[in-house]
Each structure stands twice: as structure tokens, then as C-alpha cells.
Amino acid sequence: MRTGIPLVDLRAQYETIRGEIGEVLGEVLDAADFIMGERVAELESVFAAFCSARYGIGVSSATCGLHLVLHALGIGLDDEVIVPSHTFIATAESVCHCGAKPVFVDVCRDTMTIDPEAVRRAVTPRTRAIIPVHLYGRCADVAGIRPIAEEFGLDIVEDAAQAHGAFCDAGRAGTMGTAAVFSFYPGKNLGAFGDAGMITVNDPSLYQRMHMLGNHGRTSKYSHEQIGFNYRIDALQAAVVSVKLRHLNDWNEQRLERARRYNTAFSTAGCVTPTAMPGHVFHLYVLRVSERDKLLRTLRANDIGAGIHYPIPCHRQPCFSDRPMPGLPVTEALVSEIISLPLYPEMTDEQQDRVIECTLHHCASHDPLPVQ
Ligand SMILES: Cc1ncc(COP(=O)(O)O)c(C=O)c1O
């Protein structure tokens, strides 16, 4: 009997590092040092170095990390922060947690990341920051956003939740703005065994401030300079992520190879494939096809775990229904075309061939996606 193909196979990944993980978890348990401590400090410095950033701050999730960065930058009531609508809700949530307003803008059709022209049009006297999201593992056009940020004195906060190790002409993910935030959610390219994340930053005073605020606003054990948060990463998660970080470059390379293999197979199928260039770490392989929902049903009927990232753009979420609906034509069009196919480093040729076969069969039986 053929077994199913998941979107991401966390058990297969665990099998490849079981020994290393067991050892490091045993060490943390033996030391009984679960909060802050050596493991956390080690991951912070190794991950920052991996990104070529000066400092890392472990956090309990990327959602908390984004909130911490915006809060530390003093973003609050009546401020506006420009975000793409085509992203996971956490990007916008973090802005709302500061009492500020997320201003949703469109993405570029080819990259599916924030459109610099749309950013420029959205700037108002209340704008304080821009959050480019390196969606699916591909860097957003930070080179296009930088001149706008400089002209209007805005901070760039990278949402690098899906982009560990990604890079582009403008630099490495984690170093292109005022600060950046990565997620270690289990299914990410670099995932913990629970919720966790990391901020990277170069500015020493912003680092100090975020470090203090994320740990109850502490300056020493019982002295709390400001009202802060408990946004700390824990030592067990830090230990797991440290082990996995050693493998990340290889895993990202394997993802890129799988993406290229998909692209070759789909090159004449009448769908739109993502450009597989170095620096794109393929957190997700997202294809654009006609009759997407039918393909999704076919794949699922064949026990293939496809997904949609994301089926409802942020500006259409019920939680934002009290606001005027912005016109975001590219985002609106993309949501009915995108499909995420299984992609993970441990995937076999045989598994990928089954996904390819099903997808090609769908494409052959439907009109090609109109070229736009
Ligand atoms: C683009 C993006 N931003 C933020 C987040 C939030 O990450 P976390 O689950 O670590 O809070 C995610 C996680 O899915 C994400 O994909």
C-alpha cells in the first residue's frame, strides 16, 4: 500500500538527527537550566553570526518577536505600519498589539512579496515602519523599499519568519532593516519542538532595550525598569534549534534542488512556477494554477498533503471587517491561484514524482493560467 505524502515531514527530519537531539536534550535536563542561561546565549550568538547580524535575541515566537521590536521602536497609538496583506496574520497582529494600525498593501505578481510602489503610495504622516515579509523563503524587494524608508524616516522591520538563510542583492535576511524576526515554529525551515523565534539586530542600544523588555523589563533580577513582557525562548527549544542550525544550509540546498526539479517538470504545463534562484530557501513551493481548488481536491484524494498559504488575505479577515476594504487586485487574484506542494529536504524522488504526476494530469485537463 502506498503511504501518504505530507506537506512537511517532521518525523523524517527527526530520524536524521535523533542521536544529536537526544544528547543535547539530556544535557539541558542534567543541568536543569531551563530559562535564559548558556544554551540560549549560545544560540543567540550562533544564529546572529549565521545571519551576519551583530546580535540575536531568542523569543517565545515570531509573533512575540515582531511585537517586541515594534514596541521597542516606540510604535503605538495612532501610528501606521505598512504590511502586505498577503502574509500570515501574525505580521498584522503584532502591529495591532502596539495599538497601531496595519496598513495593507498589495504584492508584486511575480514575487508575491510586498510591492515597493504600493508602499510609496501608502505612506502618510502617521507612517512609522514597513514590514516586508520574506514570503515562502524568498526575500522581499528591500532594495526597492529602502529609498522610501530613507526618504520618509521609516524603520524597516523584516518578517523573516519563513526565510532562515535567505539572501538577495540587498543582503541576508536578518540584516536588511532596523531589526528582523525569525520563527522557529516546528514546520519552518529551522523549527523547534514547540513555539520559539529569534530577533536579529545590529544597533546596540535597540538590542539592549529589546533584551530588557522581553525579559520583564529587567535590569537586574528584582529591578524592573519598564513594564515588559515574558517573551523569552526556553533552553530546551534553544538546544533543539542549535542542533538543527548545523544542518540548515544542507537542508536549504536540498529544498532548492527539489524546487528546481518541480520547476523542470512543470515548465510547459501552463502553470506559473516560482523562480528558483540561489538565496531563495523555499520554505514553501507555491505554484499558480487554474482551477486550483480542483487540484487541491485531487491531491488530497491521492493522499498528498497540499496547502494554501494563505486562502484569506489579512485585509479580508473578520477581525478587520470594521475597516474600509482596500483595493488589492494582485492579492485578490493570487488567493484563488496559489497552491503549496509538498517540499521538504527528506522528500524522495518517488514521492516527488507522485506529486508531479497528479499535478501534470490536472494541468493537462484544464486551460492554462492566463499570462498576466
Ligand atoms: C510570515 C509569518 N510571520 C509571522 C509568523 C508567526 O510566527 P510564530 O508562529 O513563531 O509566532 C509566521 C508563522 O507562521 C509567518 O509565517
Side-chain angles (χ1 to χ4, degrees), residues 4-39:
I5 303 169
L7 183 64
V8 182
D9 193 341
L10 295 182
R11 272 184 298 189
Q13 184 186 69
Y14 176 53
E15 284 309 325
T16 67
I17 51 171
R18 180 187 278 270
E20 287 172 89
I21 292 282
E23 202 175 306
V24 84
L25 289 182
E27 285 168 15
V28 176
L29 297 179
D30 285 343
D33 191 8
F34 300 117
I35 305 293
M36 308 297 276
E38 249 176 63
R39 291 286 168 185

Side-chain angles (χ1 to χ4, degrees), residues 142-215:
V142 178
I145 291 166
R146 250 186 215 141
I148 307 167
E150 280 164 14
E151 185 178 336
F152 296 99
L154 311 174
D155 284 302
I156 294 177
V157 177
E158 296 169 77
D159 182 337
Q162 304 188 359
H164 319 74
F167 59 89
C168 62
D169 289 349
R172 275 182 84 78
T175 62
M176 292 189 266
T178 307
V181 184
F182 295 82
S183 171
F184 298 146
Y185 180 82
K188 296 291 194 261
N189 287 28
L190 181 62
F193 287 175
D195 278 313
M198 180 75 72
I199 298 170
T200 53
V201 60
N202 284 333
D203 178 62
S205 63
L206 182 59
Y207 164 73
Q208 292 292 351
R209 194 167 155 67
M210 293 194 290
H211 200 272
M212 180 259 294
L213 285 168
N215 184 21

Side-chain angles (χ1 to χ4, degrees), residues 262-271 287 289 295 299 341 353-366:
Y262 270 140
N263 278 0
T264 305
F266 301 143
S267 60
T268 56
C271 50
L287 196 64
V289 290
L295 174 58
L299 290 168
L341 300 183
D353 288 342
R354 274 172 57 196
V355 182
I356 291 171
E357 191 190 328
C358 251
T359 307
L360 286 178
H361 186 264
H362 168 88
C363 292
S365 357
H366 296 90

Side-chain angles (χ1 to χ4, degrees), residues 61-63 66 87-88 90-91 133 159 161-162 183 185 188 195-196 310:
S61 70
T63 308
L66 284 165
T87 180
F88 182 60
T91 315
V133 180
D159 182 337
Q162 304 188 359
S183 171
Y185 180 82
K188 296 291 194 261
D195 278 313
Y310 297 90

Side-chain angles (χ1 to χ4, degrees), residues 202-249:
N202 284 333
D203 178 62
S205 63
L206 182 59
Y207 164 73
Q208 292 292 351
R209 194 167 155 67
M210 293 194 290
H211 200 272
M212 180 259 294
L213 285 168
N215 184 21
H216 297 291
R218 258 194 187 113
T219 42
S220 62
K221 190 164 169 68
Y222 292 116
S223 172
H224 305 272
E225 189 174 298
Q226 296 207 5
I227 296 295
F229 313 92
N230 178 355
Y231 280 174
R232 301 173 304 224
I233 192 172
D234 71 68
L236 282 167
Q237 301 304 345
V240 169
V241 174
S242 295
V243 167
K244 289 194 179 190
L245 182 54
R246 299 179 206 144
H247 301 272
L248 183 60
N249 282 335

Side-chain angles (χ1 to χ4, degrees), residues 2 18 27 95 136 148 200 215 252 261 283 322 358:
R2 296 204 304 184
R18 180 187 278 270
E27 285 168 15
V95 179
Y136 309 146
I148 307 167
T200 53
N215 184 21
N252 281 346
R261 197 161 179 272
H283 170 56
D322 56 339
C358 251

